[in-house]
């Protein structure tokens, strides 16, 4: 299941994510997310058997919001909750449904954080990922092709944050000194979308 795999990846990379955040933030991103995803995984066994995936995501998002410190907790939690709401009661997830869920997640993140692409945030990974997902879907791609395209676009988007100057979040306090480092949230978003592609 995707949430467990995402939690494993975040835990495995927590030190690297925290090191990225130490360069342009306060050095807690990896461990914030590790705690949040651990809370999401811990919430899973409490859920009723056979709950539709959308409802599971809403519950996971709620757990992340309640247990994750920093700016990223509410952002990731909102992303999961919005994605879950978009999936609704569907028992099976198809490529179009997951695309709509990812689009809803991006919208939720942007409503809450007000970041646009180029601000050096996780939107620089999630935005291109959603766009790549949708264009792959339009070209006839299946769930595997769409999620892989999203993960690849996220990775490219995260790499492209390196030369940017941060305009949102804690890294923006550094001004020009934020240039030359990858945004930690864009990097964690990449991990999570890679976990999604692998889980599919
Ligand atoms: P904090 O900055 O509070 O310590 P984290 O270190 O957990 O929180 O998360 C930092 C990440 O959150 C950044 O790398 C960035 O990707 C993301 N972020 C911060 N502010 C915003 C925002 N307004 N919109 C989108 N993402 C943001
Ligand atoms: Mg931080």
């Amino acid at each position: 299941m995707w949430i467990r795999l995402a939690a494993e990846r975040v835990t495995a990379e927590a030190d690297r994510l925290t090191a990225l955040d130490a360069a342009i933030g306060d050095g807690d991103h990896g461990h914030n997310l590790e705690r949040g995803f651990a809370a999401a995984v811990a919430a899973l066994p409490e859920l009723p058997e056979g709950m539709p995936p959308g409802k599971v995501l809403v519950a996971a998002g709620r757990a992340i919001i309640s247990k994750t410190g920093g700016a990223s907790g509410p952002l990731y939690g909102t992303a999961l909750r919005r994605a879950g709401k978009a999936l609704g009661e569907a028992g099976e997830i198809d490529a179009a449904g997951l695309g709509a869920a990812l689009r809803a997640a991006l919208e939720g993140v942007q409503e809450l954080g007000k970041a646009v692409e180029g601000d050096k945030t996780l939107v620089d990974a999630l935005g291109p990922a959603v766009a790549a997902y949708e264009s792959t879907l339009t070209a006839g791609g299946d769930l595997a092709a769409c999620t892989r395209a999203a993960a690849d676009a996220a990775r490219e988007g995260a790499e492209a944050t390196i030369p940017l100057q941060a305009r949102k979040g804690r890294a923006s306090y550094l001004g020009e000194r934020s240039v030359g480092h990858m945004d930690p949230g864009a990097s964690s978003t990449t991990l999570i979308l890679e976990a999604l592609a692998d889980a599919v």
Side-chain angles (χ1 to χ4, degrees), residues 150-172:
D152 291 348
R155 182 161 289 278
E156 271 178 41
E159 295 287 341
T161 64
I162 295 173
L164 298 178
Q165 179 172 330
R167 287 192 293 250
K168 282 284 182 300
R170 209 178 277 279
S172 67

Side-chain angles (χ1 to χ4, degrees), residues 21 26 28-29 32 70-72 75 113 115 121-122 168-170 183-185:
D21 194 35
D26 58 353
D28 61 0
H29 184 62
N32 283 342
S72 57
L75 291 166
T121 71
L122 59 88
K168 282 284 182 300
R170 209 178 277 279
D183 176 62

Side-chain angles (χ1 to χ4, degrees), residues 67-153:
K67 290 286 155 56
T68 314
S72 57
L75 291 166
Y76 276 107
T78 297
L80 291 194
R81 287 180 54 178
R82 290 291 188 93
K85 279 190 194 156
L87 292 173
E89 302 281 338
E92 289 275 309
I93 297 174
D94 61 15
L98 186 58
L102 287 170
R103 168 64 58 188
L106 173 63
E107 285 171 1
V109 164
Q110 290 194 288
E111 262 171 46
L112 184 64
K114 313 282 180 230
V116 296
E117 282 181 37
D119 284 348
K120 196 179 180 104
T121 71
L122 59 88
V123 170
D124 289 323
L126 189 56
V130 172
Y133 188 107
E134 289 170 347
S135 59
T136 306
L137 183 67
T138 305
D142 61 6
L143 207 46
C146 290
T147 52
R148 187 57 63 194
D152 291 348

